[in-house]
RNA sequence: GGUCCGGUGGCAGAAUGGUGAUGUAGCGGACUGCAAAUCCGCGUAUGUGGGUUCGAUUCCCGCCCGGACCUCCA
């Protein structure tokens, strides 16, 4: 209602995968919200599907920071994995070179997209000791066993196995498509530790030189930085099973007093031209592939254009549309007198309530973007307040970070005075009513990718 | 084969047990020397067959179609 206090905060609702319902978010400690996301395995450039998970986390964390006084966001780097070993070998480089380079590329790509860095970004290889401690404890309390140099988690020892992903362990065995290793007691048992040969990365352990299984690292790192129980664990829906199910089993068996994650947030997959991304189809797109053809914010807007739990189809047409939408938003900022970059603006402007309400409703980014359109309408009509609110609301989604000048014209470059000279010449021709000459000059500029806009105040230009 | 999610206008994409947002594309108009931008107006949608209900796009069941997962993919 209009008489509600402006400062009232909406209640955040999130869809919890485990409860399979959208429920009010109640933090363990409202003074300090804790979030863990599964980060990348660093063996290759990140693709736009990876990016969707990172963007979902980014909007979630931005919103949490707006609603709560303190948020700790942990996102790991997986820098030990058999895919890494294989790639390093194929490239003829050592593992550390590959993982360091790929990590830097990952950071650069996310920075280009305006994804805020996590508060803590632990690396798997820096947490081997924590993993071994957990594995030893799981063996001690009867949830894991050693077999032929491997340590395996015994799925049968955990009655709640399958509860997160809604699976029945008996049916899993029947449908398993992977050959069951002979040393497993049960088909569903998964590796906590496995032996390494001389060519594979390995660490000394009570079970011989070896390396961790995939799932244990997230259990170890989330526990180290966030404790037995934390608020939100997120990732792509393809991680729900087995990765998250296994993480949960390990953590709850290792720390029976804790609850592990209270809310599980999973984003849906991204399609490209209606099909799953795959190298064989030739539709595999890295973040860099897309950034070569459109501004980063266009990609960001495109990916936020669908609610995170819906499958999103990436297309070229969609990217182009996102870019035009941003043209409109930046035009609205300019019309409303917001001409500096977001980083230069005061941050105490009120958050538009419609945007906040939409995002608080399980991160309804499409609805929030619709709210931005309403603000843009008002800003285009000349409202400065609306323009300020537009930028503030967009900022909650990491959008409209540039100044309108930067967006339309880029950083000042050497060619700019040439453009200004041609515009001045065209203006003179128009005054002389030599429209043929004026149009020829406009065409000349258009050929250079410069689009002119005549207004009452004069002629402005932008890059196509 | 099993489990789960989804099918809304040309396209993208919200919402809802009671006249279906928003954007984009299209059409008409205003403005402009013409454009560009902006503004005004218009049209078009709930996959399919049943059921519950005064009323279903929404809830339930069947069917069709698409997608995810089924032991190291975000």
């Amino acid at each position: 209602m209009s008489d509600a206090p402006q400062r009232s905060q909406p209640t955040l609702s999130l869809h919890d995968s485990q409860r399979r319902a959208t429920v009010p978010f109640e933090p363990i400690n409202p003074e300090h919200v804790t979030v863990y996301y599964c980060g990348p395995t660093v063996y290759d450039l990140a693709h736009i599907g990876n990016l969707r998970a990172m963007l979902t986390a980014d909007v979630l964390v931005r919103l949490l920071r707006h609603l709560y006084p303190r948020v700790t966001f942990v996102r790991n780097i997986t820098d030990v994995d058999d895919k890494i070993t294989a790639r390093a070998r194929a490239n003829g480089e050592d593992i550390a070179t590959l993982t360091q380079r790929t990590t830097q590329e990952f950071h650069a790509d996310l920075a280009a997209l305006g994804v805020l860095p996590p508060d803590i970004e632990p690396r798997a290889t820096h947490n081997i000791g924590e993993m071994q401690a957990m594995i030893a404890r799981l063996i001690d309390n009867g949830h894991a066993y050693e077999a032929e140099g491997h340590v395996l988690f015994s799925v049968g020892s955990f009655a709640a196995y399958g509860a997160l992903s809604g699976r029945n362990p008996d049916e899993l065995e029947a449908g398993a498509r992977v050959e069951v290793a002979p040393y497993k007691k049960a088909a569903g048992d998964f590796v906590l530790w496995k032996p390494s040969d001389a060519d594979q990365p390995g660490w000394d352990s009570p079970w011989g030189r070896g390396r961790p299984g995939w799932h244990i690292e997230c259990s170890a790192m989330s526990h180290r930085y966030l404790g037995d129980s934390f608020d939100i664990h997120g990732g792509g829906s393809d991680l729900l099973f087995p990765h998250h199910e296994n993480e949960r089993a390990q953590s709850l068996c290792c720390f029976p007093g804790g609850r592990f994650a209270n809310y599980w947030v999973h984003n849906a997959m991204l399609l490209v031209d209606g099909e799953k991304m795959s190298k064989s189809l030739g539709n595999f797109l890295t973040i860099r592939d897309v950034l070569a053809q459109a501004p980063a914010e266009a990609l960001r807007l495109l990916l936020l254009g669908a609610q995170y739990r819906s499958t999103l189809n990436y297309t070229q047409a969609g990217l182009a549309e996102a870019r035009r939408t941003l043209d409109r938003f930046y035009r609205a900022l300019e019309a409303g007198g917001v001409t500096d970059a977001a980083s230069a603006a005061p941050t105490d402007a009120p958050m538009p309530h419609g945007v906040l309400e939409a995002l608080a409703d399980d991160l309804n980014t499409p609805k929030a973007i619709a709210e931005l359109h309403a603000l843009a309408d008002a800003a285009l009509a000349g409202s400065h307040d609306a323009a300020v609110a537009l930028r503030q609301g967009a900022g909650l989604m990491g959008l409209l970070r540039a100044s309108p000048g930067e967006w339309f014209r880029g950083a000042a470059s050497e060619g700019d005075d040439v453009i200004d000279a041609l515009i001045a010449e065209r203006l003179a021709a128009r005054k002389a009513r030599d429209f043929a000459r004026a149009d020829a000059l406009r065409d000349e500029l258009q050929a250079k990718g410069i689009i002119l806009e005549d207004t009452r105040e004069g002629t402005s230009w932008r890059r196509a």
Side-chain angles (χ1 to χ4, degrees):
Chain A
M1 294 271 93
S2 57
D3 59 347
Q6 284 296 332
R7 281 183 298 281
S8 73
Q9 299 284 16
T11 304
L12 173 61
S13 296
L14 287 175
H15 185 91
D16 177 25
S17 304
Q18 182 162 0
R19 277 170 273 200
R20 285 175 258 298
T22 303
V23 293
F25 173 65
E26 291 166 4
I28 297 166
N29 174 6
E31 297 302 311
H32 184 187
V33 174
T34 47
V35 181
Y36 187 91
Y37 251 78
C38 293
T41 301
V42 284
Y43 70 103
D44 204 350
L45 289 170
H47 58 70
I48 58 176
N50 301 126
L51 179 61
R52 191 178 194 196
M54 299 300 107
L55 281 181
T56 303
D58 190 53
V59 173
L60 174 61
V61 169
R62 285 172 188 265
L63 178 63
L64 288 170
R65 292 224 165 97
H66 183 80
L67 296 174
Y68 295 96
R70 185 177 170 208
V71 176
T72 295
F73 173 38
V74 180
R75 188 184 66 211
N76 71 289
I77 296 278
T78 297
D79 59 354
V80 54
D81 181 279
D82 289 353
K83 287 196 294 291
I84 294 172
T85 307
R87 180 62 62 89
R89 194 168 294 161
N91 289 357
E93 61 186 334
D94 57 53
I95 287 172
T97 305
L98 172 64
T99 58
Q100 278 167 23
R101 184 184 67 246
T102 310
T103 300
Q104 282 168 6
E105 290 165 340
F106 176 73
H107 286 157
D109 288 350
L110 291 199
L113 266 295
V115 175
L116 299 173
D119 298 290
I120 303 168
E121 189 173 53
R123 289 161 181 255
T125 53
H126 295 181
N127 290 275
I128 301 292
E130 276 73 15
M131 297 184 218
Q132 292 186 351
M134 278 192 74
I135 293 168
R137 194 160 168 175
L138 287 167
I139 293 174
D140 287 346
N141 64 17
H143 290 290
Y145 59 93
E146 200 177 346
E148 296 184 26
H150 295 71
V151 181
L152 293 135
F153 183 88
S154 174
V155 165
S157 75
F158 181 54
Y161 191 80
L164 171 61
S165 58
R167 279 156 212 274
N168 177 334
D170 301 332
E171 290 170 357
L172 287 176
E173 292 180 30
R177 65 180 173 186
V178 172
E179 201 176 327
V180 177
Y183 47 79
K184 288 188 181 182
K185 286 184 185 169
D189 292 352
F190 56 90
V191 169
L192 297 171
W193 189 261
K194 53 188 170 184
S196 295
D197 63 32
D199 295 332
Q200 290 168 323
W203 290 262
D204 291 331
S205 81
W207 320 287
R209 181 177 176 277
R211 59 198 194 282
W214 178 34
H215 316 296
I216 192 68
E217 57 169 282
C218 290
S219 287
M221 289 185 273
S222 63
H223 182 262
R224 175 172 176 181
Y225 294 104
L226 299 178
D228 289 358
S229 306
F230 54 94
D231 290 308
I232 300 170
H233 191 135
S237 65
D238 49 353
L239 295 183
L240 180 57
F241 187 90
H243 183 51
H244 288 160
E245 188 74 57
N246 292 355
E247 270 186 51
R248 180 170 179 272
Q250 293 160 350
S251 290
L252 289 177
C253 289
C254 198
F255 309 110
R259 286 178 292 182
F260 197 45
N262 267 342
Y263 297 83
W264 290 87
V265 173
H266 290 99
N267 57 279
M269 297 294 97
L270 182 69
L271 303 180
V272 172
D273 297 324
E275 292 179 302
K276 183 172 172 170
M277 256 195 300
S278 74
K279 292 200 166 153
S280 58
L281 284 170
N283 62 353
F284 190 92
L285 288 175
T286 64
I287 295 172
R288 289 180 183 203
D289 290 334
V290 177
L291 293 188
Q293 45 184 309
E297 281 196 357
L299 176 57
R300 188 181 185 104
L301 180 65
L302 173 60
L303 294 187
L304 296 182
Q307 205 264 358
Y308 73 94
R309 286 189 294 114
S310 319
T311 305
L312 171 62
N313 187 20
Y314 172 94
T315 62
Q316 284 278 350
L319 187 65
E321 182 179 331
R323 187 178 185 164
R324 285 194 299 271
T325 299
L326 286 165
D327 283 344
R328 176 178 151 82
F329 286 160
Y330 276 107
R331 204 169 271 132
L333 290 182
E334 211 161 38
V338 171
T339 54
D340 52 0
S343 56
T347 55
D348 55 353
M351 186 60 67
H353 220 252
V355 173
L356 197 52
E357 290 268 354
L359 293 181
D361 180 13
D362 197 28
L363 306 182
N364 193 336
T365 48
K367 195 174 186 185
I369 291 165
E371 296 288 337
L372 296 185
H373 277 288
L375 291 169
D377 286 342
L380 282 164
S383 166
H384 182 252
D385 289 349
V388 170
L390 170 60
R391 183 164 64 187
Q392 195 73 349
L396 201 48
M397 289 179 276
L399 293 166
L400 303 186
R401 291 173 293 126
S403 71
E406 287 163 354
W407 175 259
F408 287 119
R409 293 175 287 281
S413 64
E414 287 179 26
D416 286 6
D417 44 354
V418 176
I419 294 166
D420 289 339
L422 288 169
I423 289 174
E425 196 181 337
R426 171 172 171 270
L427 202 63
R430 289 180 70 206
K431 273 195 173 152
R433 302 197 66 79
D434 181 358
F435 295 121
R437 175 68 183 149
D439 290 351
L441 287 163
R442 184 169 62 198
D443 291 346
E444 187 182 329
L445 283 164
Q446 173 124 38
K448 293 178 178 177
I450 305 297
I451 295 169
L452 299 187
E453 294 183 4
D454 295 329
T455 67
R456 272 194 300 268
E457 290 77 33
T459 298
S460 63
W461 62 271
R462 62 186 162 97
R463 294 187 198 282

